[in-house]
Amino acid sequence: MNGKTGWGDWWPSALVPAPEESGAPPLLEPDEPPPFEIVNPTGQANALLICDHASNRLPRRLGRLGLTDDQLQQHIAWDPGAAAVARGLSARLDVPLILGGYSRLAIDLNRPLASPELIAAESAGVRIPGNQGLSAAERNARLAALFLPYHQAIAELLDAHPNPELRLISLHSFTPWLAGQLRPWSVGLAYGRDPRLAQQLRPLLAQQADLLVGDNQPYGIEDSYDFTLPTHGEGRGIPHVMIEIRQDGLQTQAQIARWVERLACIC
Ligand SMILES: [Zn+2]
């Protein structure tokens, strides 16, 4: 930590005790992967790519949270295809990239700490047995092992980034069907109070005739729902956008390569 941004900026001491006071054992065992991965940290492009929902891995101590292997492959556990596009873009544009290392079902890296969806008891109609009735110590163990290190790493990347023209691009994917409704957009650009980057990218994406581009659809950015871009983008005055790609466009290597090329051309 270099002192510019610390956990204290986000840690709601009134909500939960600090992790060292919780008494819980560390969630991750020493041989497990770290809570985040940084790719191309010295990339020279004037952006940072972020992929909150890159992985469906669960910490060993959490087992499968009572879910089946099939359920853990579904969108409730991660954003299928998003990490592959992010890695491709990072290489193609020479952009640093940070990816979350564990499933959003362990803790959602893009939810505010007070959100009931931070550690979801249910997701898209699926009850998550391993997330029912957690103690404060169990919640704190997940915050301390997964959430806080990830966001601290983003803060450090931004502190260290020398480029004053920095942009933040958060990559997600969304399921084509939710609650029986088809979502028609091929891709969505989401923004909150800062539409600058979305406004730059939208006309470029919309030029691609086969794409239906969502304007804050299927999701926008809201303080009650999102954490990553409100904290690191809006919080620092950095132009930012969330790009959501529909998951049925990310099922093959060829589709993923196509999205990498599309986004590389407009970014
Ligand atoms: Zn996502």
Side-chain angles (χ1 to χ4, degrees), residues 70-227:
D70 183 57
Q71 287 170 317
L72 291 175
Q73 293 299 322
Q74 304 297 319
H75 69 92
I76 61 171
W78 62 328
D79 285 0
V85 173
R87 289 178 192 279
L89 261 187
S90 170
R92 174 76 166 69
L93 296 177
D94 194 24
V95 186
L97 162 66
I98 180 165
L99 306 109
Y102 288 85
S103 171
R104 65 191 303 172
L105 294 178
I107 191 165
D108 194 324
L109 299 171
N110 188 36
R111 290 292 177 273
L113 292 170
S115 167
E117 294 186 14
L118 179 70
I119 300 175
E122 186 209 282
S123 179
V126 177
R127 184 176 181 271
I128 317 298
N131 287 349
Q132 308 294 319
L134 298 184
S135 68
E138 288 170 321
R139 295 178 64 85
N140 283 349
R142 298 194 198 184
L143 282 166
L146 305 176
F147 189 97
L148 293 172
Y150 174 78
H151 287 291
Q152 186 61 44
I154 294 175
E156 289 179 12
L157 284 168
L158 294 176
D159 287 346
H161 205 290
N163 194 323
E165 299 297 314
L166 190 63
R167 306 282 183 266
L168 274 186
I169 299 173
S170 175
L171 271 170
H172 292 258
S173 69
F174 66 95
T175 182
W177 290 87
L178 193 69
Q181 296 280 327
L182 176 67
R183 301 148 116 193
W185 311 279
S186 336
V187 60
L189 298 180
Y191 51 91
R193 283 170 290 263
D194 181 353
R196 286 175 289 176
L197 197 49
Q199 285 173 345
Q200 285 175 29
L201 298 183
R202 173 175 320 288
L204 301 173
L205 261 185
Q207 283 173 4
Q208 304 187 30
D210 57 330
L211 295 182
L212 181 59
V213 183
D215 180 14
N216 268 344
Q217 296 280 3
Y219 301 107
I221 296 177
E222 297 171 26
D223 291 341
S224 60
Y225 198 72
D226 294 277
F227 184 83

